Amino acid sequence: MKTKLLTIATVVALMLGTMTKVQAQAPCLPQQHGLPQHQSASCGVTQMLALTTGWNWISMYITVDDPIVLLDMLKEGLGNNALSIEGSNGMTEYLGDGFWMGDLDDYGISNDQLYLIFVENDCTVELQGTLVNPATVEITINPGPNWIGFPVSQEMEISNAFSNFAVEGDMVEGAEGMSEYLGDDFWMGFETMIPGQGYIYNSESQEVRTLTFPSGAKARHAYPNFGKIKKQPIEVVPTEDKPTH
């Protein structure tokens, strides 16, 4: 039997949330996604999340027609392995027997967000949907820390990912470490953005800005291999190092 210690915030979230029981959903629904030359081939792309015991930082480069459906697919894939899923706009906790409850159930999973998943056992989750064109995913960057997704299906150099966006002093934190922008397209720290992982972007700018990841020449290598399974190991994040909003 699982034993969980619930914080006051968790109890409040559970009281305010809606209890849901996960059921299998249709995995892929055709839609416009900004890549007409690949539209017929993009449906049925599989994203695999290799989750390790503890906290995992994840994001999605696939989508379906409804973000709540994508969340339900994630819950179904997690089975009895997960305790909670947390986003910047809410959380949901696993209560057993297929039931989840929390305010995240009202929002679902979106491509612009980082999500934290706590699992008790190593597991692999397969999700199927439509490949996202990253240039169509607008991510709001406020001053200070922001939980952001990386809706790109291939690795990308951090200098390319934030080209013409970062200002000196901006920092990006991921499961693999941190990187700071020092100006002149130079970052100090980790160098590669990993598909399937989520990040925290700490903005030094005092303005609210909109970030989109490139889908042109710098990211074009992401699209020739539609339909192939992508695997991304997600590293363990110690509980004491779990990020705060």
Side-chain angles (χ1 to χ4, degrees):
M1 178 178 295
K2 296 180 180 178
T3 300
K4 297 185 291 183
L5 296 177
L6 301 181
T7 64
I8 294 176
T10 298
V11 173
V12 171
L14 293 176
M15 292 175 64
L16 296 177
T18 301
M19 182 179 290
T20 60
K21 186 167 185 177
V22 178
Q23 296 179 345
Q25 302 288 338
C28 183
L29 299 173
Q31 64 179 30
Q32 290 287 344
H33 54 83
L35 294 171
Q37 68 271 31
H38 295 301
Q39 189 169 1
S40 61
S42 65
C43 190
V45 171
T46 301
Q47 177 173 350
M48 296 184 69
L49 300 175
L51 306 176
T52 53
T53 303
W55 290 104
N56 297 264
W57 300 34
I58 67 105
S59 67
M60 303 296 177
Y61 56 76
I62 63 168
T63 187
V64 295
D65 69 328
D66 186 338
I68 294 177
V69 171
L70 187 55
L71 176 59
D72 286 345
M73 290 169 56
L74 176 59
K75 293 174 181 176
E76 181 76 11
L78 287 168
N80 295 319
N81 293 301
L83 293 184
S84 67
I85 304 170
E86 301 186 21
S88 62
N89 58 349
M91 65 173 293
T92 183
E93 284 216 340
Y94 184 61
L95 305 181
D97 193 29
F99 284 98
W100 292 75
M101 187 168 68
D103 47 5
L104 188 63
D105 298 325
D106 297 327
Y107 299 100
I109 297 291
S110 60
N111 297 103
D112 62 339
Q113 294 289 311
L114 152 72
Y115 295 93
L116 303 183
I117 302 178
F118 189 90
V119 297
E120 290 190 311
N121 307 294
D122 293 358
C123 61
T124 299
V125 178
E126 295 187 17
L127 301 171
Q128 194 173 41
T130 301
L131 192 65
V132 171
N133 178 2
T136 67
V137 179
E138 295 186 345
I139 303 174
T140 300
I141 301 294
N142 294 296
N146 300 264
W147 288 27
I148 69 170
F150 180 59
V152 182
S153 63
Q154 290 283 339
E155 294 182 359
M156 183 181 295
E157 292 183 5
I158 191 170
S159 58
N160 289 341
F162 300 105
S163 178
N164 300 318
F165 181 83
V167 300
E168 188 171 342
D170 283 3
M171 300 184 70
V172 179
E173 180 180 358
E176 70 277 19
M178 302 182 67
S179 192
E180 181 179 1
Y181 184 60
L182 303 181
D184 296 326
D185 290 329
F186 180 73
W187 290 80
M188 183 173 66
F190 75 84
E191 299 178 349
T192 305
M193 304 283 287
I194 306 298
Q197 294 196 15
Y199 296 87
I200 295 178
Y201 191 99
N202 192 67
S203 176
E204 287 293 305
S205 174
Q206 297 306 303
E207 300 179 351
V208 177
R209 298 179 292 160
T210 300
L211 167 68
T212 57
F213 290 103
S215 62
K218 292 181 179 179
R220 193 166 294 161
H221 63 282
Y223 301 108
N225 298 318
F226 276 8
K228 290 187 178 180
I229 291 177
K230 316 287 184 184
K231 294 184 178 181
Q232 319 89 33
I234 307 296
E235 297 182 9
V236 175
V237 180
T239 301
E240 61 269 19
D241 294 335
K242 192 182 88 169
T244 56
H245 297 181

